[in-house]
Amino acid sequence: MRSVIFLVLAFLLFTTLTACYGQRQSNRPGSSSSQTENGENGENGENGENGENGEELPTIIDLAGPPEFTDEVEASFTFSCSQDDCTFQCDLNDTGFTTCESGVTYFDLEEGEQVFQVRALDASGRQGPEATWEWTVDTISPLVLGLDGPADPTNETDATFTFWCSLFTCQFRCELTEATAGVISATRPCDNGETYSGLADGQYTFRVYAVTPEAEGPAASWTWTVDSAAPQLLELTGPDSPTLETTATFSWSCDQTDCSYECTLTGTNQGTLFAADACESGLQLDGLANDDYELTVLPVNALGTRGAAQSHGWTVDTTTPEVLLLPGEFIEDMATFTIGCDTPDCDLECALGAGSSTPSGFVPCQGPTYEIQGLSSGTHTFALRGTLPTGATAVATHTWESSFMEWATVDNGLGFSCAIGADETLWCWGSNTQGKLGIGQGAPGTSSPIQVGEAAVWSQLSLGNDYACAIRTNGTLWCWGANSYGYLGLGDTQTRGTPTQVGSSTSWTHVSAGYSHTCGIRSGELYCWGYGLGWRLGTGNQTSQPSPTRVGTASNWSYVSAGRNHTCGIRAGELYCWGEGTLGQIGDGGESSRTQPSRVGTATDWTSVRSGNSFTCGRRSNGTLWCWGYNGDGSLGLGTVSNASTPQQVGSLSSWAEVATGNSHTCGRRDDGTLWCWGSNVTGHLGLGTAGGNHPTPQQVGTDTDWATAGIDRSSCGIRDDGTLWCWGSNTSGQLGVGDTTRRTAPTRVLMAQ
């Protein structure tokens, strides 16, 4: 009984598997066709014949029947028509067409090849082409059934096949070939579950034969392609880094067709924003917050092979920089700023423009201090722009008015200097001992010019050791500073910290302050006052005078110069000197003092005279320069260090325009605008770029040819044609006016803070 049940179950299983085998046509050559005299018809009869009127003939579609090899002696066929309302005619093995329907079945088929044909007739009776199905009935040979293997194509390099036999006593033989390499595994015995491993890329065909002692059945084959190459991501591009943009767009490509992609986005601060999401080239991310991002793209080919991921990192930073722009000093044609940015990766650029508008033309610049020189007079705007690597920028500006001080005259005293501007304002700088700067007793000294009062009324000035005198444009005389011997001319010996008027006269035309005495001219009359020792006042005695005292009765004095302990003056072109003469400084050939003005030589063409420490220099109308007196340091410019008791010409030139004498050196300006200095250079006050030694002949100061005037003492100052003021030499008290107390050995410009 069990044997009968087993045989029934086996028959049912065999019938089911045979039906399944017949449906696996994707890996089998087709066994149905539709033929006409003019060629094949497609599935919808696109290439079939047309009727006499050009109408399309009915065509058989969806024809299905038994598998290519079968041991079944029955065969059923299904089919349909390309048109509605068709009828069908069928033929088996050329026995003649008869009317039939889909599902027609033939029984008791003989061994061997079988051919089934079917054709359709439309409602008008027109006959379409035949469709054919061919198969073999073999009830003796064993058949391979249910062959199954890898997908086609596949990226798997291992292949396993399952199959069984139409008979119970079958054995199997298998072989594997590759389209290019040929036989990979020769025909050999095998079993269901046959596996091949480590297959290289290529197109393979697996064949399996069912074998019994009596016969070998036809081969069943399985063809597929192994493609294990991983896809490669190409040309992944994204935003620059860092960037201000909160939108990011990416593009990429793949070296294989039909790739798909998985994208993962992470942010340093936000973590994973999405992971392994399906994505495509052209991916756009919007609304990104400030963070460091990384987008990872992984390619997957059509077989599911995953390639190597690539990443693009970038930083979104919408922060704008904060720039620091602090105005510093504004000194005439120079301005300084403190500049910076709140982040170290900020690139600074600077621009300067005229007027109050933000300038263009930014150029790279560096802080913390930025200095601008060579400014013209007028309104200027300085702009600082900071730019982050993201491109974010910030701009700060400062606008100011630049003006220039034009100077008219300058003089030096002991540790201080004063000058009058072209606008007739009075300025002093250096030591303020005993109030000699005119800004009040007790006020600190200054290394930069400070205005004396607010009046713009000054025309001429002269500095002594620790005091100064100046004439206003209304002819009044004013003095200030130390006053030990009454040399301020105020009738007493009290110090004055601010300019104080000397008497009430309004006819003063010239004043000269010496070391401790003063002389001045008003209405052609000569007056002297102060310390009288050595007859320096020219009054015939050595009595000190605290108020202006007339010298003689002459009323044609045009020039006067008070030195250390002697005085010289000019009237009607004649030169007169008086006071201490032991070193030949009087110039009349003797070395004794003169109690009153004594004529120097017979010349009548003297135009100016300057009395120094114990020497004198004067200029004649023919442009010649003459010096006499003490010459131990070469201050006479004669090429020697010997004293001279009479005027000696300095060189042979007749082009001297002006001369100024100091404590131990002399400077003169020539008609060509060149400046020359000689004598002691112990503190660099000759302006030659060095300090030390004596120079007994005139030495040119630089190469400039635009000097207009000079005033010297222990330091030197000069004014150029453009009105700029320059000083050099000793600077222990800030008397050079350059903002510090460092000695200068060459002319240095005195700049005015704005």
Side-chain angles (χ1 to χ4, degrees):
M1 184 63 179
R2 289 182 179 178
S3 298
V4 174
I5 294 173
F6 177 80
L7 290 174
V8 171
L9 292 175
F11 176 78
L12 293 174
L13 176 61
F14 174 77
T15 303
T16 302
L17 293 176
T18 301
C20 291
Y21 178 81
Q23 294 177 4
R24 293 189 58 85
Q25 296 298 321
S26 60
N27 287 285
R28 293 279 188 183
S31 56
S32 105
S33 62
S34 179
Q35 298 285 333
T36 70
E37 292 181 0
N38 296 321
E40 293 185 351
N41 283 322
E43 184 175 300
N44 294 318
E46 293 178 356
N47 297 317
E49 292 184 347
N50 292 328
E52 294 181 358
N53 297 323
E55 296 180 2
E56 185 177 318
L57 296 175
T59 303
I60 297 297
I61 58 176
D62 300 328
L63 173 59
E68 184 179 5
F69 294 96
T70 180
D71 59 355
E72 291 293 325
V73 294
E74 292 183 9
S76 296
F77 299 89
T78 60
F79 41 82
S80 60
C81 182
S82 62
Q83 298 180 12
D84 295 333
D85 300 328
C86 289
T87 58
F88 303 96
Q89 293 179 344
C90 298
D91 170 66
L92 179 64
N93 296 327
D94 294 327
T95 57
F97 282 94
T98 60
T99 301
C100 61
E101 293 182 357
S102 177
V104 62
T105 301
Y106 297 92
F107 301 95
D108 300 324
L109 299 176
E110 296 180 357
E111 294 277 335
E113 295 180 354
Q114 312 291 325
V115 178
F116 170 78
Q117 290 182 301
V118 60
R119 61 192 181 199
L121 289 79
D122 63 15
S124 300
R126 293 179 304 156
Q127 178 181 299
E130 292 84 5
T132 301
W133 187 275
E134 297 179 354
W135 78 106
T136 299
V137 175
D138 187 350
T139 61
I140 299 174
S141 300
L143 300 179
V144 175
L145 303 177
L147 177 59
D148 195 10
D152 181 31
T154 181
N155 58 4
E156 297 294 333
T157 59
D158 294 343
T160 298
F161 298 89
T162 59
F163 44 83
W164 53 86
C165 183
S166 61
L167 302 177
F168 290 105
T169 58
C170 291
Q171 293 182 340
F172 300 96
R173 291 188 307 118
C174 300
E175 70 174 8
L176 181 66
T177 60
E178 198 276 323
T180 301
V183 176
I184 302 299
S185 176
T187 304
R188 58 179 176 78
C190 59
D191 290 314
N192 178 35
E194 180 73 5
T195 298
Y196 299 91
S197 301
L199 298 177
D201 287 357
Q203 186 181 57
Y204 292 87
T205 298
F206 171 76
R207 294 180 178 84
V208 57
Y209 302 86
V211 180
T212 65
E214 293 79 17
E216 177 179 290
S221 63
W222 189 275
T223 299
W224 81 106
T225 298
V226 175
D227 185 359
S228 61
Q232 291 185 358
L233 197 69
L234 305 176
E235 302 175 348
L236 174 59
T237 61
D240 294 333
S241 182
T243 180
L244 280 170
E245 300 298 326
T246 59
T247 296
T249 301
F250 301 85
S251 65
W252 62 81
S253 60
C254 183
D255 68 340
Q256 299 181 16
T257 59
D258 299 327
C259 286
S260 60
Y261 307 94
E262 296 175 359
C263 290
T264 299
L265 178 66
T266 59
T268 298
N269 299 321
Q270 303 172 73
T272 301
L273 300 174
F274 56 81
D277 283 8
C279 55
E280 294 181 358
S281 178
L283 172 68
Q284 179 172 303
L285 306 175
D286 298 314
L288 296 172
N290 288 352
D291 205 345
D292 297 320
Y293 292 94
E294 184 176 72
L295 178 75
T296 301
V297 182
L298 185 144
V300 182
N301 66 14
L303 302 177
T305 303
R306 302 166 70 84
Q310 290 189 27
S311 298
H312 179 86
W314 79 105
T315 298
V316 175
D317 187 356
T318 59
T319 304
T320 56
E322 292 186 12
V323 292
L324 173 69
L325 175 58
L326 297 178
E329 288 187 308
F330 295 88
I331 303 177
E332 295 196 358
D333 68 344
M334 182 184 73
T336 60
F337 296 89
T338 298
I339 62 174
C341 191
D342 64 341
T343 58
D345 57 350
C346 181
D347 291 331
L348 295 178
E349 296 174 293
C350 297
L352 178 69
S356 57
S357 300
T358 300
S360 57
F362 284 90
V363 296
C365 57
Q366 294 181 337
T369 301
Y370 187 78
E371 183 176 292
I372 303 171
Q373 295 183 341
L375 294 168
S376 59
S377 180
T379 302
H380 304 278
T381 296
F382 174 71
L384 174 67
R385 181 170 66 190
T387 304
L388 296 179
T390 61
T393 62
V395 177
T397 62
H398 180 80
T399 300
W400 77 101
E401 193 76 21
S402 178
S403 61
F404 294 86
M405 184 67 182
E406 186 176 347
W407 300 97
T409 185
V410 63
D411 201 10
N412 298 105
L414 178 61
F416 78 114
S417 303
C418 292
I420 296 174
D423 59 357
E424 299 178 345
T425 56
L426 177 62
W427 303 74
C428 293
W429 56 94
S431 170
N432 193 36
T433 302
Q434 301 188 71
K436 58 188 175 184
L437 295 186
I439 58 175
Q441 294 187 62
T446 174
S447 58
S448 296
I450 185 171
Q451 187 171 358
V452 180
E454 297 180 358
V457 294
W458 304 96
S459 61
Q460 191 248 324
L461 68 83
S462 181
L463 272 58
N465 237 20
D466 289 311
Y467 74 103
C469 291
I471 299 173
R472 288 186 172 182
T473 54
N474 61 2
T476 57
L477 176 63
W478 303 69
C479 294
W480 61 93
N483 194 27
S484 300
Y485 299 98
Y487 35 78
L488 296 186
L490 302 175
D492 57 38
T493 57
Q494 295 180 4
T495 299
R496 300 295 196 281
T498 57
T500 303
Q501 187 173 353
V502 179
S504 59
S505 175
T506 59
S507 58
W508 294 99
T509 56
H510 187 78
V511 68
S512 177
Y515 278 52
S516 56
H517 74 292
T518 310
C519 293
I521 299 172
R522 71 184 190 202
S523 300
E525 299 173 351
L526 178 62
Y527 293 81
C528 292
W529 58 96
Y531 194 40
L533 186 65
W535 296 278
R536 69 192 73 185
L537 299 184
T539 57
N541 59 56
Q542 298 186 76
T543 303
S544 298
Q545 300 293 333
S547 298
T549 300
R550 189 171 181 183
V551 180
T553 60
S555 58
N556 60 347
W557 293 96
S558 60
Y559 202 96
V560 68
S561 177
R564 180 182 180 86
N565 50 20
H566 77 291
T567 309
C568 292
I570 299 172
R571 69 184 192 203
E574 299 174 353
L575 178 61
Y576 294 82
C577 292
W578 58 95
E580 181 68 48
T582 55
L583 298 174
Q585 61 264 48
I586 299 301
D588 60 0
E591 293 184 350
S592 59
S593 300
R594 298 292 184 265
T595 63
Q596 293 179 330
S598 175
R599 179 98 181 259
V600 179
T602 60
T604 59
D605 60 348
W606 294 96
T607 58
S608 64
V609 65
R610 295 297 294 269
S611 300
N613 187 348
S614 296
F615 68 99
T616 310
C617 290
R619 177 187 179 274
R620 295 172 65 173
S621 61
N622 61 2
T624 57
L625 180 62
W626 305 75
C627 293
W628 58 96
Y630 177 72
N631 194 33
D633 43 29
S635 51
L636 300 186
L638 305 176
T640 70
V641 291
S642 300
N643 296 346
S645 59
T646 58
Q648 302 295 311
Q649 186 174 357
V650 180
S652 59
L653 296 176
S654 58
S655 58
W656 294 98
E658 183 185 25
V659 67
T661 56
N663 185 60
S664 57
H665 74 295
T666 305
C667 291
R669 179 176 59 87
R670 291 181 180 172
D671 291 337
D672 60 3
T674 58
L675 183 64
W676 302 74
C677 292
W678 56 94
S680 172
N681 192 39
V682 65
T683 62
H685 42 255
L686 297 187
L688 306 178
T690 60
N694 298 326
H695 294 272
T697 56
Q699 306 293 310
Q700 186 173 358
V701 180
T703 59
D704 296 298
T705 59
D706 59 349
W707 292 101
T709 187
I712 65 174
D713 188 81
R714 290 170 177 80
S715 302
S716 304
C717 289
I719 298 174
R720 290 183 174 169
D721 291 340
D722 61 2
T724 57
L725 175 62
W726 304 72
C727 294
W728 58 98
S730 176
N731 194 30
T732 55
S733 299
Q735 62 263 42
L736 299 186
V738 293
D740 56 42
T741 57
T742 302
R743 181 177 66 188
R744 302 293 196 280
T745 60
T748 303
R749 186 174 174 184
V750 178
L751 297 171
M752 297 288 289
Q754 302 296 304

